[in-house]
Structure formats: C-alpha cells, structure tokens
Amino acid sequence: MPTYTTSDTMVSKTAVARLVADGLAKEWRNPRTGGVRHYIDADGLGAIIGFEQTYYHTGNISGVSYIDGDGDRVSVAHSRGYHRDDKTFIEDGTVYCSWTPYGANIAELVARKLAEKEADRV
C-alpha cells in the first residue's frame, strides 16, 4: 500500500462538488463501508496545480512539472513522474496524495489551490 501525504487545509463539500461537475474528480463509494472518495486524475491535477506531464513516443515519461504555492513552475525529473499507481483523492475534506516529488506535499498544495479558487468565487 502506498504512503500518502495529507492536507491540513480542509476542502469544502462545495469545492468537491464543483470538481465532480467539471469532470476533474470521480466519485468512488466503498461497497463495504459506504465511505466516499473523490479521485483526481492527472487532468484534474493539471487544472488545479498546473500539472503537466509529457511522454516519449514509447510511452515513457519524458518530463513533469507543476506550479508550486509561490506560483513558480517546478520541473521534476522524469523518473519522479506521476505514475499509474500514484493516487490523489479527497476523503472527508482531506486531500491524500501518494505523489511526493522531492518531498513536496502535493496534497496540501491541492487543498490550498482549491481553497483559493473557492475564495475567488465568493
């Protein structure tokens, strides 16, 4: 099982509903417990934190970048790219993310960006 970083900043139910409505997150319900998670894919991360990932013709990752909390574009070595087994999801208002390039807390970055977008809408 992967290790996840978590956000201290909580994501509102309204923000989660907007992600789902915009097609940036998909809801998953645990059939045994009824717990709900909202999974964010690479396209969703692109809309939230400016995540970009490019590929070689072979399908291997050639480059990865995202925009950090200061607004700077951060380039990440291709070997630290967002792979198929990496997951980002929201559960009970907390963001969980298994992708931690160079120790960055992407979960907190996602939560803060979502909070900023909600504040801009008010």
Side-chain angles (χ1 to χ4, degrees):
M1 179 171 200
T3 302
Y4 292 96
T5 58
T6 58
S7 64
D8 291 327
T9 303
M10 298 299 286
V11 176
S12 71
K13 290 181 181 181
T14 305
V16 173
R18 278 204 179 99
L19 286 173
V20 172
D22 293 344
L24 301 176
K26 293 183 179 158
E27 182 176 300
W28 174 80
R29 186 174 304 274
N30 186 317
R32 287 178 288 146
T33 66
V36 176
R37 290 182 179 174
H38 293 88
Y39 281 88
I40 302 169
D41 62 12
D43 292 335
L45 288 176
I48 299 165
I49 62 169
F51 175 83
E52 293 179 356
Q53 189 158 266
T54 56
Y55 299 88
Y56 294 113
H57 293 289
T58 61
N60 294 329
I61 298 167
S62 63
V64 182
S65 66
Y66 66 94
I67 299 172
D68 69 9
D70 296 326
D72 298 324
R73 181 151 295 277
V74 178
S75 294
V76 180
H78 67 277
S79 63
R80 295 180 188 264
Y82 195 85
H83 298 282
R84 269 183 240 145
D85 57 341
D86 284 318
K87 304 279 186 253
T88 303
F89 63 89
I90 302 169
E91 184 175 35
D92 297 327
T94 301
V95 179
Y96 296 80
C97 187
S98 62
W99 186 55
T100 57
Y102 307 116
N105 187 343
I106 300 299
E108 183 63 25
L109 179 62
V110 168
R112 287 185 182 177
K113 291 291 185 179
L114 290 172
E116 287 174 15
K117 288 182 183 196
E118 278 301 299
D120 290 344
R121 291 178 187 259
V122 175

